[in-house]
Amino acid sequence: MTTPVLADSVKLTVDGVQILDRRSFPFAREWVLCRTSTEVAKAIEDMVTQSSGPYFAALYGMVLAAREAAGLRPHAAFAYMEQAGVRLTNARRTNNHLRKAVHAVLSTVSGSGESLVSSAMAGAQAGDDLYRGRSRALGTAAAALLPDDGGVMTHCWADLYLVDLVSAAQRDGKRLRFFCTETRPYLQGARLTAETLAEMGVDTTLISDGMGAAVLQSGEVDALVTAADRVTMAGDVVNKVGTLGLAVAAAAFNVPFHAMVQAPDQEARTADDVPIEYRPGEDVLHTLGIRTASEKVRGLYPAFDVTPPRFVTTIVTDRGPFEPHRIAEYYHEGEQNQ
């Protein structure tokens, strides 16, 4: 099976970090070269990369920071990298994978010069391997919850979690049909999720965001499955705005909602501990660069929403599925969040 393009869309080179521009994908396959850690942070903020992409961009953005700091004394070099890590983390604050990526590198760096760069590279590679391994475990656990032959609804979801879920389902011989919401205003569902599924040979149907409840009511959907940008220790699911509405509709029509996340965030006890990113309201007034609303109105764009645990059937992690109210059991073995 061919690996979908979006599953390997961030590359470290001698010149910098190459990032596939998801704003124009799949109509164009253009790569943005970021020569500095600051440029990587700006690319993340500007939505050049999304889904799992920012995690890998942050990993290798930290390697660029190490290259930039290589000529400094060890203490000053580490301080420089810490500052670069803050910039990267703040580029998209709701998804805590950026913080994890920065930590993966900072926890391994030492020294200066080539030693600093090589230790940063080792940390980034370890973070890359860990994420991909957990994603495979997550995909396998989620696939086990789905029927052998059935319909799945998604929302704003592409990249590794999706690829690993579908790969696991295909290995198990399952025949799944996917309904993808378009995901306004960037149309990630139409351009990224649906394209990835189609690349994998999956029966894929695109619906507008406003059709979700009707399709859930139709009986064609056996499960609502999304990724989650963050899950709190109380079982709240923070994900792309629109997830809440679909979850409420799924509950109304007895369709289970499975949210996929590698691990709950120990630093977020409740949803009040999660900063919700607001993007420019002007984005809502345009679609793919074309204005779709009158000059007389303004837009509002909360990029994420919070689904309370009562509307979530299962939170699927790399350690298997948990009922929302039992998600804290993920850490009963004593492992800390990484």
Side-chain angles (χ1 to χ4, degrees):
M1 182 180 66
T2 302
T3 301
V5 174
L6 294 182
D8 190 20
S9 61
V10 178
K11 303 177 186 296
L12 179 69
T13 70
V14 294
D15 297 321
V17 175
Q18 293 270 9
I19 303 176
L20 181 68
D21 194 340
R22 301 191 186 205
R23 298 169 301 183
S24 56
F25 185 88
F27 312 115
R29 300 194 176 187
E30 301 169 341
W31 293 78
V32 173
L33 173 61
C34 300
R35 297 184 182 275
T36 68
S37 57
T38 299
E39 289 181 2
V40 172
K42 188 68 166 62
I44 294 171
E45 182 180 356
D46 290 346
M47 301 286 281
V48 173
T49 187
Q50 300 148 35
S51 192
S52 298
Y55 174 83
F56 295 104
L59 281 179
Y60 296 109
M62 289 298 289
V63 176
L64 295 190
R67 292 178 184 176
E68 294 156 16
L72 301 175
R73 292 180 181 274
H75 181 74
F78 189 82
Y80 181 93
M81 293 191 64
E82 282 187 315
Q83 292 173 356
V86 170
R87 286 195 297 271
L88 288 163
T89 301
N90 287 340
R92 303 288 311 272
R93 297 176 60 223
T94 300
N95 187 321
N96 65 326
H97 277 312
L98 290 171
R99 175 171 54 82
K100 291 184 177 183
V102 168
H103 173 76
V105 178
L106 282 180
S107 64
T108 64
V109 294
S110 61
S112 61
E114 184 54 40
S115 173
L116 179 73
V117 176
S118 61
S119 62
M121 187 62 216
Q125 188 59 61
D128 188 310
D129 293 343
L130 179 65
Y131 188 97
R132 292 181 187 277
R134 285 181 164 176
S135 180
R136 286 190 294 272
L138 178 59
T140 299
L145 300 176
L146 301 179
D148 290 338
D149 189 337
V152 178
M153 182 174 288
T154 72
H155 182 62
C156 189
W157 177 32
D159 225 303
L160 289 183
Y161 291 7
L162 179 66
V163 170
D164 287 326
L165 167 65
V166 172
S167 296
Q170 290 175 333
R171 286 194 302 270
D172 292 342
K174 297 190 175 189
R175 298 173 300 279
L176 300 177
R177 302 174 298 282
F178 279 78
F179 297 87
C180 304
T181 55
E182 61 185 353
T183 324
R184 288 264 295 135
Y186 280 96
L187 301 181
Q188 297 105 316
R191 297 183 301 102
L192 308 180
T193 312
E195 180 69 12
T196 296
L197 288 164
E199 280 188 70
M200 298 184 76
V202 175
D203 183 332
T204 306
T205 300
L206 181 69
I207 62 174
S208 74
D209 290 355
M211 298 177 188
V215 176
L216 286 164
Q217 185 185 41
S218 72
E220 297 184 74
V221 178
D222 297 286
L224 169 66
V225 185
T226 73
D229 284 84
R230 200 181 304 209
V231 169
T232 73
M233 298 304 290
D236 305 285
V237 171
V238 184
N239 195 46
K240 173 68 181 180
V241 69
T243 303
L244 171 60
L246 292 173
V248 172
F253 299 116
N254 297 313
V255 175
F257 171 33
H258 308 303
M260 297 174 62
V261 70
Q262 290 187 8
D265 180 13
Q266 286 180 303
E267 296 188 14
R269 189 174 61 85
T270 70
D272 291 337
D273 299 315
V274 181
I276 299 299
E277 175 187 356
Y278 276 73
R279 299 194 65 81
E282 188 73 11
D283 291 353
V284 178
L285 309 180
H286 297 77
T287 300
L288 300 184
I290 299 174
R291 190 173 182 98
T292 53
S294 165
E295 297 283 353
K296 301 181 182 68
V297 302
R298 61 177 178 271
L300 175 67
Y301 185 5
F304 302 89
D305 60 26
V306 178
T307 300
R310 67 181 180 277
F311 298 116
V312 182
T313 308
T314 315
I315 296 170
V316 191
T317 73
D318 65 338
R319 294 183 176 179
F322 293 86
E323 295 177 9
H325 69 279
R326 303 183 68 174
I327 190 61
E329 294 178 11
Y330 179 94
Y331 293 108
H332 276 189
E333 296 180 13
E335 179 175 324
Q336 296 300 301
N337 199 4
Q338 298 180 16

